[in-house]
Each structure stands twice: as structure tokens, then as C-alpha cells.
Amino acid sequence: MRCWCFLGLCLFFVSTPAKAADAWLEFPPSDGDPDAPRIVLISGDEEYRSEESCPMLAKILASHHGFHCTVLFAINPESGLIDPNYNANIPGTEALADADLMILATRWRVLPDEQLEPVYDFLKAGKPVIAFRTATHAFKSGDVGGYDWANFGIQVVGENWHSHHGKHKFQGGRSVTVAKNAEHPILNGVDSFYTPTDIYGVVHLDEEKSTLLLRGAVTVALDPSAALLDDEKNDPMMPLAWLKDYELPGGVAGQCFATTCGAAVDFRSESLRRLLVNASLHLTGQPVPQKANVEFVDPFKPSFFGFMPKDYFTKRGLRVEDFGPGKSAQSVPVAGY
């Protein structure tokens, strides 16, 4: 066991042997509770650097809130490197069999049946889901269970990919609390926050059957101090975060918390991190504190979002262990970019 100190607190992580060594990360709870609730965080998108944000969130959830977290990555089977441009391999989904919560941040994955089946079983059992940003279009296709994986977004999350409501990479977003749900525990300690990612268009969400927590206001520029856009894009404002029920055909009813923000750079916001921590506690039946601890465990200086050349991840050379205890994204230089 190795001890990592942060603000005077000793945080303990145990390296857990796994099949296909170095294919995923395990972060046991800091108190060592063998019965701790389990979260599986699944990264794998080409644009918003979920390979950086998911380990950061897992460390916070394990260190500060007593969860056992498993982080999965898109792995190129030829190089063994983290490579979200390779959309057909996320090892370790079998961990969902013992999970109490799935946090999903993938984008249009085409997974083999043996990797997709644990996701199907998890959803059919009605277990809770947190979906952020591109999880509205988490899967491009799939054959498991005869399920319509291309419409996973509408059926589970509340929306598929629809549009960039704000101008991508030119207009950011700011959260606006929905007044009638302002006292919901998921919003405890969550102030209005800015996101460099633009607001997504959301047109299929049934707001009458959902609990809408936040709307997203489009800002005139990519600047935390930017004014809100004064035109029809903010009238009405798009849904930004909500809770909704879901149920696969023949399955048990479950609940999904979703937010359309969530690029790695968005998580520089303390309130956005707290939103996901609060949702994790709420969905696993635990009390939500008035102001949950969301301090970074390791330094977090995320990469900006955007599609990268096919060789970007090969040149970057990221391996799973680069996000382990005491390590973080900025500790790995991006050679050639």
C-alpha cells in the first residue's frame, strides 16, 4: 500500500491485479471498506478527453466519498495504448456485474458482444446510470439483446445526439438552476458554473416525466466572464442536467442522471464536479452533504477538447497506469502537438 498526501490527508490506494494487466484502473475506498458501493466509470470518446476526466472523478469518489471505483478506457489492442480513436475495444466491462452505478462518457462506440453484454445486463437490471456529454450518443450500434443501441440516448438518457445549440468552440455555456427543483439534493452546494463546451440541443427529452435540474445558457464567447447571448438561443434555454427513469424491454425500471456538459476542461469547475459527486451519492441511496468535498486528489490540468489526428494518441503514448495514484494528465507531455 502506498500513501499519497493531499492537504495533509493520507489517501490510500491499493493496486489491484486485473486480467489483461494495465487495461483498467481500480481505486478502492480510502477507508478500505470491503462493502463499499462500486462505481464503474467508462471513458471512450474522441473529442472531450474522458480518458482524463474519468480517473480524476474516480479518485475524488474513492478518496473523499468511500466508493470503490473502476475506470475503463478505450484501448488500441495493437499498441496497448489508450486510444479513443479506436472505437471497438473497452476492456473490463465485466466489472459492471458487481457495480452499483455506471458513469458513462463514451461516444459512438461499436463494442464486441462480450464487452457490450455486461452493459446490457446492467441496464436490464435497472441499475442507476450517470451519463455525461457524449453519452447521449454512447453507442453507434450493437447486436446484444436485440436492443436498439443506436437509440440508447433517447431511451435511457433522454436524448440522442441532436445538435450544437451554441456555436461550437466559439460560444460556451452557463448553468441556470430550475427554480422548482432548486432544493433537490443533487444540487446541494452547486452554484452556477461556466463550461467552455457549448450547449447541446435537446429536443426529445420529456420534461413532464423528468426532473429538470439545470438549464444551459449560451454565452457570447469562450470566457467565464462572457455575457449571455441575448437572442432566441436562450429563449427557451436547453436542458443541461436532469433525472429520468428508464426501462429496457423486459427489464427492471432504473434511473439515469444526465448532463450534456462534461468535457475534461469543464471539470475545472468545482460545482460541476460536485454535481456528479452528488448524483453518485443520491443514486446509490446515500445522503448528500450540503457541500461535498470535490478537491482534486492529484493535480488536474486537462487537455482542451477537439478531434485529433489519427496518430495523436499514438504520439501521446498514454497508458492506463499514467492515470494511476499520484499521476494525472498533465504529467504526460503531448509530443508533436
Side-chain angles (χ1 to χ4, degrees), residues 202-216:
V202 176
V203 299
H204 293 103
L205 179 68
D206 188 336
E207 295 187 21
E208 295 299 318
K209 294 182 179 180
S210 305
T211 302
L212 190 58
L213 300 174
L214 299 173
R215 290 191 181 275

Side-chain angles (χ1 to χ4, degrees), residues 15-26 70-73 75 89-98 114-115 118 320-321:
S15 297
T16 302
K19 291 182 293 182
D22 301 326
W24 56 81
L25 288 174
E26 299 277 356
T70 303
V71 186
L72 310 185
F73 299 87
I75 303 292
N89 186 43
I90 299 180
T93 58
E94 60 268 23
L96 287 167
D98 298 319
E114 64 271 18
Q115 293 181 0
V320 170
E321 58 266 27

Side-chain angles (χ1 to χ4, degrees), residues 20 22-23 26 29 31-32 76 78 111 122-123 127 129 148 154 156 177 210 222 276 295-296 312 317 335:
D22 301 326
E26 299 277 356
D31 62 7
N76 187 314
E78 293 186 7
L111 298 181
F122 183 94
L123 295 170
K127 293 184 178 182
V129 177
D148 182 11
I154 285 181
V156 174
T177 300
S210 305
L222 288 182
L276 265 67
E295 292 290 335
F296 294 123
Y312 168 81

